[in-house]
Each structure stands twice: as C-alpha cells, then as structure tokens.
C-alpha cells in the first residue's frame, strides 16, 4: 500500500513552510501592534461547543465537521473554526473577570473542514484571527477590521477589496428570515438539495450557496437593508464613518451574510485576486457576534472577530511574487577540507551558531564542488572554508557566495570578523530588523495620491515578529 496524506490535507515544507511561518509572524506582530494577546485553544473541543443544541444551521457545523467519539464515548470535534472555541475558553476560564477588558485575543493554527478540496480549499488549513470581546461599540468593530487590513498591507498586499454589510440585530434577522422564506418558497423547486434544507433551517444560509443558478435566484431576494432596525442602521453607519475617517475603502455588499449563525450587525470579508486573475476565494471573513458568549454559558457580552486563511494569503503572495525576496537561506556553510579537520570544523560550526549565525556543515569530507553546490542549495550567504593549513595558522577563508569575494579571517576574532563581513554585505539588515529586500516592505515610498492606498500605511512589522532570522541577528 502507498501511504498518502488524508485527502484534502497537505504537507507543508521547504519554502512553503518558511513562507507560511513568515506570513504568520507578520500577522502576529501586527496583532501585537494593536495590543491583542495570543490565545492557544485546543484543537479538539466537545462537539456541543460548535453545534450548541440545534443552534447552528451553517454548512460548516452541519456538514463539514470532523466529529467522532473518543475512547470515553464523548463526541468531540476537530475545530472547524476558532471563534466558538475561543469563546468557550473565555467562559471556562472566566477571563472576563480576570483579564483586562475588552479581551483582545489573537490565534493562529489549524482548522479542519470536510469539504471538497480545490484551489485554496483544504480539509486541514491554517487560520489566523482575532476576537475582541466585552465592549459593544462600532469603534471596536472598526478596530478589528482595520487590524485585518493592516495585517495584509504589512505583508505587501496593495490591492484589497473590503466587502462589508450589516445583518442587523435579532429582531431584524427574524423579520428578514420571514421575507426570505416567502421569496425562496416561490423558487425552491429550481434550487439545489442543500437549499431545500436551508430554507427549512435558516433561509439566510441560502445566500451563501455557491451553486451558480441558486446565486442568480438569490440576487432577486429581498435585501436586509430594507429590514434593519434603526439601532442597527445607526451602528452600521457609525462603523462606516470611522472607516471613512481613516481612509479605508470598502464596498457595501448586501448579499454578504457570512457562513456562521452567531454573527449579528456588521459582517465583512476581504478579497484579492492574483495579478493573473487567480481567485483563491475570500482571504478573510469576520463580523460582530451578539449572543455567542451567553450561549456558551458566559455573561451577556458581545464580540467581534475575523479569521484569515493562511494558505490563501500565502497562495496569493506566492503568485504575485510578494515572497520572492523572503530569505530562507542560512548565513554560513562551513566547509571542511579533508577528513582530518572534520572534528575541528564541527566544533567551529557550533561556535558560529553560538555567535548567532545560522550555519551548516556537511559532517563528512566532501569534494569542494559538492560543498559549494550544497551551500548554494541551502541559500548560504557565505562559505567558511578550513583545511589543515588554515587550522594550524588559526585562520579560515571567508567567501561571499554572491560576490565571490574571498578573504582570510582570524579565528581568534571570529565574531568580529563575521559581523564586519555581514554588515558590509547586508548593511540594511540590522536597523529596524527589516532590510529593503524583505518582502512586505514597499520598495518605493507609498504614494499618497494613490486612491487604492487609502490612508493605511504600508510598513514592516518584522522588527516585532518572531521572524527567526531577525531574532538570531539580535544575539550578535
Ligand atoms: P469560503 O466562502 O471560501 O468557503 P468561509 O466563509 O467558509 O470561506 P470562514 O469560515 O470565514 O470561511 O473562514 C475564514 C477564512 O478561512 C476564509 O476567508 C478562508 O480564507 C479560510 N478558509 C475557509 N475554509 C477554508 C478551506 N477549506 N481551506 C483553506 N482556507 C479556508
Ligand atoms: Mg466555506
């Protein structure tokens, strides 16, 4: 039998793993910039956390969950999304009583959905997101949206489309559901089997249907804006006005209702297409939730959050060359010349690492040509070459593998010599931790006249990111 990964689940390694880690580090750093703190909830939750009685009519909960009984015969589910688990954690730990309010939490990790695998759609995928819980204000909603946009700008995206809508309060949605029921009842015979079910459970879910014919029918459906209570309408315009004040562009999308039932009031998505038109789907989706904390046994607190699909963000960045300059190489490849120096070179390589430079060495005597090939494949910036002669003299040859310049350095001053050589070759890397070559950093100054730029500033979060390379350099 051939062993393969579970359908829809992919292995992430090499440049993709480095790219995904970079994406996560920039998003985490952006969240920290906005004063969110990390939460790491378990991957597995009791199924009720997601299903909450018959509380969820979403496809995600009804059809896409990996649910099974554990050995104690309790029904458990691999999280299909984070919000319910994070809110469960907030309630279980009474964070609203012990932590600073509002709670500002961010998370990053895998989620699982049993859906048809296709471009940008996996059965195990990674989400980054935030939840802001405990303060009911349009400003909180706006902060969350801005953080999502800013995270993507930090990654170097230039053209994003923020789609926004309101689905109002409970009263609004009750009236709206009735109107949808009446409308879709007249068309249901032409619609997919799932929509038959959706009509019974929650007709708003029909608006999420991805079947083209059904989408056409949904276009003619009543619009929620005609059912909004005054309070919901006011709240929505407050959020929009804050976005206007900050120059954040958005597109009102009255068909946007989001795929989970706990949402209320403002909902939003961020979309982007690759330059060649490739569509990986929404990069990010989120919204406000009114009843979820209470439904999970906590006090009556509202929340707002978004979740971003890291594979989709990575896919777009890769396609548009935003990761082309991501440095996934090592600093030094240390080359032993001859069998006799293997042990000394092994020790020296360890010293180099203690100095804060990433380094590798072949651990066996190899031909020079082979070692240079290995160094190149590992993206080494310099080669440090030592044979018996060098060791006897206490020196090594340091070769810049890009410029091919080579010089002899003294092993006694190894740290200083390396610092000097690296500072000369990569002068920008130590300032704010982000050289101009880093991805995410605009190579030209942002154009204030550019209507697409809004007032959001492109920038670089690398200095705060746990972006391995920069941390390492910090040790020097
Ligand atoms: P879609 O409309 O594409 O199915 P969704 O509304 O189901 O997305 P959310 O529940 O909002 O997705 O999840 C937040 C983000 O997670 C999405 O915007 C997307 O980037 C990502 N995402 C969702 N499902 C998948 C998946 N199966 N594989 C990869 N990424 C996903
Ligand atoms: Mg989906």
């Amino acid at each position: 039998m051939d062993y393969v990964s579970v359908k829809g689940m992919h292995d992430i390694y090499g440049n993709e793993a480095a790219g995904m880690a970079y994406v996560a580090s920039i998003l985490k750093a952006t969240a920290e910039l906005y004063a969110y703190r990390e939460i790491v909830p378990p991957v597995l939750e009791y199924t009720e956390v997601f299903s909450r009685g018959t509380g969820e009519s979403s496809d995600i909960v009804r059809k896409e969950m990996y649910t099974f009984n554990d050995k104690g015969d309790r029904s458990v589910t691999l999280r299909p999304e984070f919000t319910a688990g994070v809110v469960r954690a907030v309630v279980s730990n009474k964070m609203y009583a012990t932590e600073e309010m509002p709670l500002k939490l961010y998370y990053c990790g895998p989620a699982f959905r049993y859906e048809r695998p296709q471009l940008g759609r996996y059965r195990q995928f990674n989400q980054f997101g935030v939840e802001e819980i405990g303060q009911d204000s349009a400003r909180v909603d706006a902060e969350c949206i801005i953080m999502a946009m800013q995270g993507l700008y930090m990654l170097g995206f230039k053209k994003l489309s923020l789609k926004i809508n309101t689905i109002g309060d409970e009263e609004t949605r009750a009236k709206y559901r009735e109107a949808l029921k009446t409308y879709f009842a007249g068309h249901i015979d032409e619609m997919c089997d799932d929509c038959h079910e959706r009509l019974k459970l929650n007709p708003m879910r029909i608006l999420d249907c991805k079947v083209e014919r059904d989408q056409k029918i949904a276009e003619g459906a009543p619009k929620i804006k005609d059912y909004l209570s005054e309070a919901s309408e006011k709240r929505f315009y407050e959020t929009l006005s804050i976005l206007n004040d900050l120059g954040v562009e958005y597109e009102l999308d009255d068909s946007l209702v989001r795929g989970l039932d706990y949402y209320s009031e403002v909902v939003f998505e961020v979309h982007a297409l690759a330059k060649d038109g490739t569509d990986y789907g929404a990069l990010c989706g989120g919204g406000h939730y009114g009843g979820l904390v209470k439904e999970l046994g906590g006090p009556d607190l509202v929340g707002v959050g978004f979740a971003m699909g890291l594979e989709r963000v990575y896919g777009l960045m890769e396609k548009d060359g935003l990761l082309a300059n991501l440095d996934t190489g090592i600093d030094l490849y240390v080359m032993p010349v001859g069998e006799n120096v293997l042990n000394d070179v092994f020790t020296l390589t360890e010293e180099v690492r203690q100095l804060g430079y990433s380094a590798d060495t072949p651990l066996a005597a190899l031909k020079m040509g082979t070692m240079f090939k290995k160094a190149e494949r590992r993206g080494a910036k310099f080669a440090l070459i030592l044979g018996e002669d060098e060791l006897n003299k206490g020196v090594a040859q340091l070769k810049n593998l890009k410029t091919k310049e080579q010089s002899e350095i003294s092993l006694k001053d190894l740290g200083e010599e390396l610092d000097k050589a690296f500072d000369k070759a990569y002068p920008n890397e130590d300032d704010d931790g982000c050289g101009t070559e880093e991805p995410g950093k605009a190579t030209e100054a942002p154009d204030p006249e550019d209507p697409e730029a809004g007032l959001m500033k492109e920038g670089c979060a690398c200095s705060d990111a746990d972006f391995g390379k920069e941390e390492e350099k910090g040790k020097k």
Side-chain angles (χ1 to χ4, degrees):
M1 148 176 194
D2 289 334
Y3 293 104
V4 293
S5 65
V6 171
K7 186 175 174 194
M9 302 200 174
H10 63 304
D11 301 306
I12 304 174
Y13 61 94
N15 284 344
E16 186 179 0
M20 292 276 287
Y22 169 72
V23 170
S25 73
I26 295 298
L27 293 172
K28 287 178 178 190
T30 310
E32 303 258 348
L33 201 63
Y34 283 75
Y36 292 83
R37 301 189 73 189
E38 186 160 21
I39 179 163
V40 187
V43 169
L44 209 56
E45 295 278 356
Y46 289 123
T47 303
E48 302 85 84
V49 170
F50 304 109
S51 62
R52 299 186 302 284
T54 50
E56 269 285 343
S57 65
S58 57
D59 282 12
I60 296 172
V61 171
R62 282 193 308 116
K63 300 199 305 198
E64 297 175 358
M65 296 208 302
Y66 277 87
T67 296
F68 55 95
N69 282 8
D70 69 7
K71 288 193 189 339
D73 216 23
R74 283 168 295 238
S75 178
V76 289
T77 294
L78 286 168
R79 63 178 171 228
E81 56 109 19
F82 279 71
T83 304
V86 168
V87 170
R88 194 276 310 141
V90 165
V91 175
S92 308
N93 296 287
K94 293 197 173 54
M95 282 181 219
Y96 43 84
T98 58
E99 306 289 304
E100 184 55 28
M101 294 298 278
L103 291 164
K104 295 179 72 169
L105 306 168
Y106 73 85
Y107 58 78
C108 188
F112 304 81
R113 294 184 192 176
Y114 195 82
E115 52 181 334
R116 197 163 71 79
Q118 50 191 294
L119 183 70
R121 199 173 290 287
Y122 300 93
R123 289 182 173 176
Q124 173 172 341
F125 59 101
N126 289 281
Q127 285 192 332
F128 167 86
V130 312
E131 308 295 346
E132 191 155 350
I133 297 171
Q135 190 174 343
D136 196 358
S137 142
R139 234 168 273 123
V140 177
D141 299 349
E143 181 174 63
C144 174
I145 295 170
I146 290 162
M147 197 259 119
M149 300 295 283
Q150 189 65 35
L152 291 166
Y153 285 122
M154 294 282 205
L155 286 168
F157 284 95
K158 293 229 162 79
K159 203 167 171 199
L160 297 168
S161 127
L162 168 64
K163 295 178 196 277
I164 191 164
N165 192 23
T166 177
I167 54 171
D169 47 27
E170 192 40 62
E171 180 197 336
T172 301
R173 286 194 308 285
K175 276 195 275 169
Y176 184 51
R177 275 194 287 262
E178 281 313 309
L180 287 179
K181 226 175 221 164
T182 311
Y183 171 79
F184 284 118
H187 295 84
I188 198 68
D189 292 346
E190 306 153 58
M191 302 180 81
C192 74
D193 289 350
D194 281 338
C195 280
H196 282 77
E197 192 112 336
R198 291 174 182 131
L199 183 62
K200 280 186 236 142
L201 289 170
N202 179 358
M204 275 175 72
R205 293 278 70 90
I206 296 179
L207 304 176
D208 293 330
C209 182
K210 297 214 162 68
V211 175
E212 216 171 296
R213 195 187 42 192
D214 296 3
Q215 283 178 347
K216 274 261 155 342
I217 297 173
E219 277 172 23
K223 300 295 178 211
I224 198 147
K225 61 171 183 275
D226 298 323
Y227 296 82
L228 286 181
S229 69
E230 213 172 294
S232 285
E233 195 165 359
K234 181 165 171 275
R235 187 199 170 100
F236 187 47
Y237 285 104
E238 256 172 58
T239 308
L240 296 183
S241 116
I242 298 168
L243 296 178
N244 288 336
D245 287 350
L246 282 163
V248 179
E249 294 197 4
Y250 53 82
E251 185 191 318
L252 296 176
D253 180 349
D254 55 19
S255 64
L256 183 68
V257 291
R258 307 285 308 126
L260 288 147
D261 287 344
Y262 49 66
Y263 286 114
S264 57
E265 310 293 351
V266 69
V267 291
F268 61 95
E269 279 182 0
V270 183
H271 291 244
L273 290 186
K275 282 186 199 124
D276 68 359
T278 313
D279 185 356
Y280 289 84
L283 291 182
C284 162
H288 171 96
Y289 39 91
L292 187 62
V293 184
K294 203 165 171 201
E295 232 185 293
L296 283 163
D300 194 5
L301 296 174
V302 304
V304 57
F306 70 79
M308 209 177 264
L310 296 192
E311 278 79 0
R312 292 191 191 178
V313 171
Y314 172 83
L316 264 176
M317 290 179 70
E318 170 76 355
K319 195 104 204 172
D320 282 359
L322 294 178
L323 290 161
N325 293 320
L326 181 61
D327 181 5
T328 57
I330 55 173
D331 294 326
L332 286 149
Y333 199 79
V334 191
M335 301 183 177
V337 185
E339 196 85 36
N340 297 346
V341 298
L342 281 179
N343 280 345
D344 288 312
V345 166
F346 185 78
T347 311
L348 183 78
T349 307
E350 194 50 33
E351 261 172 56
V352 165
R353 293 169 180 151
Q354 299 302 324
L355 289 167
Y357 289 95
S358 53
D360 206 2
T361 184
L363 308 174
L366 298 176
K367 289 195 187 116
M368 287 312 288
T370 310
M371 288 196 283
F372 275 108
K373 274 206 195 93
K374 279 178 168 289
E376 192 187 325
R377 278 203 294 265
R378 213 36 208 88
K381 297 185 177 70
F382 282 86
L384 194 61
I385 310 157
L386 300 98
E388 237 169 315
D389 273 1
E390 277 83 8
L391 273 178
N392 290 338
K393 283 199 279 173
V395 298
Q397 304 299 326
L398 183 65
K399 180 166 184 174
N400 181 325
L401 293 173
K402 203 153 128 198
T403 64
K404 311 291 177 214
E405 266 173 89
Q406 185 168 324
S407 59
E408 190 169 280
I409 61 165
S410 141
L411 291 179
K412 194 161 54 58
D413 310 317
L414 185 62
E416 276 153 49
E417 295 280 8
L418 291 179
D419 290 352
K420 221 167 36 190
F422 273 85
D423 285 347
K424 183 170 162 227
Y426 299 93
N428 290 323
E429 289 221 333
D430 272 344
D431 41 22
D432 66 348
C434 180
T436 44
E437 281 194 287
E438 298 293 352
K441 176 102 174 172
T443 38
E444 73 268 36
D447 178 0
E449 303 283 297
D450 180 359
E452 273 154 19
L455 287 184
M456 306 290 281
K457 289 192 195 74
E458 285 170 81
C460 175
C462 297
S463 50
D464 289 335
D466 52 336
F467 185 26
K469 256 310 61 87
E470 305 309 327
E471 294 266 297
E472 244 170 51
K473 291 282 158 58
K475 279 197 260 156
K476 280 194 291 181

